[in-house]
Amino acid sequence: MSYLTKLKGSPAPIPPRPPLKEISFITFGAFLAACVIGFLAYSTSYPIIMGSFGASIFVLFVLPESPFAQPRNVVLGHFVTTLVGLIFFQLVSSDWWSMAIALAVAIALMQILRISHPPAGSNPFIVFLLGANWDYLWMPTLIGSVLIVLVALFYNNISEARSYPKYW
């Protein structure tokens, strides 16, 4: 198969739309998770929200059976990638090339440690764009990721059709 042929894609059909009941369940779960971190951020004036959490909430509620949605992947994926971003930003350089290396190292570490969580891949970029300091590792990264996992644990198991997590 030639390179250009691969770019056309396969003839696979797009996946079917989930039933409205499932979409409603997912939507309300995502709303609850966003409410928890949003309310705590607003009421405490602490930054408990980071941009990649929106994508994490998507994975936790739309794809709860995915390896990427499991608690260890969410929490440790966010923690490790933010730590890598901070190490490169604070100790190596704040230049573009350091950001690129941080991203590559963060992705490699998630794979090596078996904690891949695609939304966490953006954390080194977030660290560099914000000019974040070491506190960013704890709040919002660790506390926020634990909170959204807790909401997913309680909410996803309300449904008889779901069982979350698959592993720790």
Side-chain angles (χ1 to χ4, degrees):
M1 179 182 292
S2 76
Y3 181 76
L4 292 178
T5 304
K6 291 180 185 180
L7 296 178
K8 290 188 333 186
S10 69
I14 63 171
R17 179 180 297 118
L20 186 55
K21 183 178 179 181
E22 180 73 6
I23 293 171
S24 299
F25 184 82
I26 291 166
T27 301
F28 191 68
F31 172 75
L32 286 177
C35 280
V36 167
I37 59 175
F39 174 76
L40 288 172
Y42 179 79
S43 64
T44 64
S45 298
Y46 285 110
I48 301 174
I49 301 171
M50 58 195 271
S52 56
F53 285 168
S56 292
I57 290 170
F58 178 92
V59 171
L60 285 164
F61 292 94
V62 175
L63 306 166
E65 295 187 8
S66 165
F68 303 137
Q70 302 314 302
R72 64 177 272 127
N73 295 59
V74 177
V75 175
L76 294 176
H78 277 295
F79 187 83
V80 167
T81 57
T82 299
L83 178 61
V84 169
L86 286 165
I87 288 170
F88 276 83
F89 181 75
Q90 298 288 340
L91 304 177
V92 178
S93 171
S94 61
D95 291 321
W96 63 269
W97 56 267
S98 182
M99 181 177 68
I101 295 170
L103 175 68
V105 169
I107 289 171
L109 282 175
M110 281 196 291
Q111 292 177 58
I112 290 167
L113 298 172
R114 298 182 305 154
I115 55 169
S116 293
H117 181 63
S122 63
N123 291 359
F125 283 174
I126 293 169
V127 166
F128 274 75
L129 291 173
L130 293 177
N133 61 32
W134 295 102
D135 291 344
Y136 200 78
L137 186 59
W138 309 110
M139 187 157 347
T141 305
L142 186 60
I143 292 177
S145 62
V146 167
L147 286 172
I148 61 175
V149 165
L150 287 173
V151 173
L153 281 168
F154 290 107
Y155 186 77
N156 278 324
N157 287 305
I158 290 172
S159 170
E160 290 183 16
R162 292 177 177 229
S163 176
Y164 179 80
K166 296 301 175 198
Y167 57 84
W168 288 92

